[in-house]
Amino acid sequence: MWKLLNQITRTGLCSEKPSAAPWACNTLPQEHSPEAAQHALLKIVGRALTIRAIDAGSCNGCELEMHALSNPYYNLEGAGLRFVASPRHADLLLVTGPVARNMLQPLLRTIEATPRPRFVVALGECACTGGWFGDSYATLGALSRVLPVDLHIPGCPPEPGFILACLLNFLQRLPAERLPA
Amino acid sequence: MTSSPTDRKSLHHLIQDYCPDAGRLPGPFPLWRGACSPAHWAPLAEGVWQAQGRLVALWWSSEGAVLQATYVLGREVLWASLAHSAGHPVADISPWFPGANRLQRAAADLASGALAFAAADQRPWLDHGCWAQQGHQEPAPNLPYAFVPVTGEGVHEIAVGPVHAGIIEPGHFRFSVVGEKVLRLEAHLGYTHKGAVAHWRQLPPLQGHRLAARLCGDSTVAYSWAYCMALEAALGWLVPERSLWLRALLLERERVANHLGDLGALGNDAGFAVGLAHFSRLREDWLRLSNTVFGHRLLMDRITPGGVCCDLQAPQCALLQAQCAALEPEVLALRDIYEGHAGLQDRFGATGQVLPALARQLGLTGLAGRASGIARDLRRHPQWAPYNALDVQLVLREEGDVAARVAVRFDETLESLRLIRLVLEHLPPAEPAGAAAAPALSAAPGSGLGRVEGWRGEIQVALQLQATPQGPTVSDIHLHDPSWHNWPVLEHAILGNIVPDFPLINKSFNLCYSGHDQ
Ligand code: SF4
């Protein structure tokens, strides 16, 4: 126990403000800064916005970076976002991969199980454009070929900080009536 | 089935008897390739099994309608091909190599009817009835899969997946349980099949490493290296010494990154969330420095045909050295905490056990194999540069439980840190610009085999090039993931354990879906 406490105190806090990370680039105008988005989000939703991840045939690279979002640096929940286990509890679906045909039915069923209003986000090059796999006998390619997509986050894989900035920016720009009550 | 020493044959005898025309191929590993007749296909497998060799991969090449297999005996590799005539089922080799069951079913799926095996299990594996070539362009629902039923009083089934509760890849698990106790687990995979092989035929071979890097995101360095090794062997290229050392540096960094992630997740799955917080912080530091020094957090596309596309100067070497020095005490401190935590040890110990005898019988490989007494690590091969100069220390445990797989990860992390420092200290100097002639795509391209010890186990790429007026193109390629052999073992590891321990056991293997399904 002593060793554990020692390790915890020695490490201290390492969470970064969303804007402190290097990617929180100059490309985001001030009013869309992740911090502003975070405040706006909490004001409008009043609770954490819940995210459900769906792998529709990714190489696992995008999943690794999604995992990284939950590490202490990014303070995801501090930004008002939370991963949940069930689509029934989700507001937003993060979909990765070039939509493998073998995954199409499970993907559509999971999305159907998510209550509206819901947002569908294509994460990574594969889900955005089909990436290196494109359209073939086994894949359908871009997610938008299958269903309407609210936001595309490019990158192979996109870095966690960039994912966070894109999500917060997107949510802040949404008209209030589209946000879940 | 046991064998006496007298009926054990050396690889050369097996070649003489069953693949008489086999010839030696160039490459860093001693490799023979030859054709095998249908009558000799099963005796060859049996001979390899008796000689205590193992099956690495088995696949179908639609080019030329050939079934291919690679076997390893000691340190030597045999790549055998069987010209297949339609209508004659191929002998089943799964009695000797249980891992062949799914490999054969996958081969039959990808041959779309052109290949059949004389095996009892004829269920499709990768093919879920959704692919476009089967006459329906419109998306079709997945066909039901015939899981083996378990009956008896109080037995019921739990179906999990393909979409899981956590952020993990898709696959279906069917548990047959009594109360909490698991009587049988059967996995159904193939959900992430992307038809990757078909894409290579359209790609110039010098671009193929980028696709190889995207088959399994956590082993992107290992896959790109294996692809490049195969391509370089097929083209007869020599790779500069410094590039080989840099490749090893990248591979060890990938190993450390994955071990850090897994150690955290294993702590978390056993109810120790602090472990996850610490290890995921360490992993993030590690990935960020990879990004700073090499330009990509997961090190994708850093290994290119003929070498690497990154180099190190003194300041970057210093950064990498300093990070190793900082990480080592942290890992040691966390190992102390894990080992001294009664709750963790209680969950880890004797959970998901695979004893060495079973591991050998089922062909368990890689990291999980080393936790079950299988003393095998490709990096200890005397001909694989630069590892032949690094004297990699084998990490081995006999217990085969979650605790052993955790211990192997701790020890391998520390060993990789040592290797990284060694590589940085002894990095050969860069060749003066222009010293090496620009490599040419040779006129008569052949075939090549690449083998790399990724963090999960042995990754193998078998590549066949063909000459065309536009230069060489890929006529056939197969990428083999160690998960093929380890998935069936997971189904044994869970037997007799309780359902709530499955996430922990599964994570301790951490097998790959995308690299398996491809
Ligand atoms: S975008 Fe890149 S990292 Fe993500 S799934 Fe596709 S290949 Fe993998």
Side-chain angles (χ1 to χ4, degrees), chain A residues 52 59 65 73-74 133 137, chain B residues 164 193 199 217 284-285 297:
Chain A
R52 180 70 180 87
C59 77
E65 293 299 51
Y73 282 103
Y74 298 104
F133 299 99
Y137 76 90
Chain B
H164 298 282
H193 178 74
H199 289 289
E284 179 70 18
D285 291 339
R297 285 165 54 97

Side-chain angles (χ1 to χ4, degrees), chain A residues 51 62 65-66 69 81 83 92-97 120-130 143 149-171:
Chain A
I51 304 176
C62 285
E65 293 299 51
M66 254 195 262
L69 261 184
L81 298 169
F83 281 105
L92 186 145
L93 296 154
L94 265 186
V95 186
T96 59
V120 176
V121 178
L123 182 77
E125 210 54 49
C126 288
C128 289
T129 66
L143 181 65
V149 173
D150 297 295
L151 172 69
H152 289 88
I153 304 182
C156 182
E159 295 179 14
F162 181 67
I163 303 176
L164 187 57
C166 288
L167 286 177
L168 291 173
N169 201 21
F170 163 73
L171 293 167

Side-chain angles (χ1 to χ4, degrees), chain A residues 1-12 14 16 21-23 52-74 83-87 97-110 125-126 131-140 146 156-161, chain B residues 110 126-133 136-143 162-170 189-196 198-199 203 207 210-211 213-218 258 272 274 276-278 280-285 287-288 291 296-298 300 329-330 333-334 336-337 341 456 507 510 512 514 518:
Chain A
M1 196 45 157
W2 168 246
K3 281 180 185 159
L4 179 58
L5 289 175
N6 196 17
Q7 172 78 11
I8 293 172
T9 36
R10 206 156 32 85
T11 309
C14 59
E16 293 165 343
W23 43 266
R52 180 70 180 87
I54 311 176
D55 177 337
S58 101
C59 77
N60 198 27
C62 285
E63 275 63 30
L64 290 175
E65 293 299 51
M66 254 195 262
H67 266 294
L69 261 184
S70 306
N71 74 35
Y73 282 103
Y74 298 104
F83 281 105
V84 290
S86 167
V99 194
R101 285 175 192 258
N102 286 353
M103 264 312 284
L104 181 65
Q105 189 190 26
L107 168 71
L108 295 178
R109 282 189 178 172
T110 311
E125 210 54 49
C126 288
W132 283 82
F133 299 99
D135 179 7
S136 78
Y137 76 90
T139 54
L140 289 154
V146 181
C156 182
E159 295 179 14
Chain B
L110 295 174
L126 296 179
D127 185 356
H128 294 196
C130 308
W131 296 341
Q133 73 202 30
H136 43 73
Q137 282 301 317
E138 280 312 302
N142 301 50
L143 292 175
V163 178
H164 298 282
I167 307 174
I168 60 170
E169 298 178 83
L189 306 176
Y191 287 94
T192 67
H193 178 74
K194 295 182 270 289
H199 289 289
L203 270 183
Q207 289 281 312
R210 306 198 63 190
L211 192 50
R214 284 161 179 79
L215 284 191
C216 173
D218 58 39
N258 281 294
F272 190 63
V274 189
L276 177 62
H278 280 284
S280 62
R281 168 180 64 85
L282 296 175
R283 181 180 150 94
E284 179 70 18
D285 291 339
L287 299 187
R288 285 185 180 185
N291 197 19
H296 195 284
R297 285 165 54 97
L298 304 182
M300 268 180 188
E330 296 245 26
L334 286 164
D336 240 21
I337 291 171
H341 193 285
R456 196 181 271 115
K507 191 76 210 175
N510 195 5
C512 178
S514 177
Q518 289 184 14

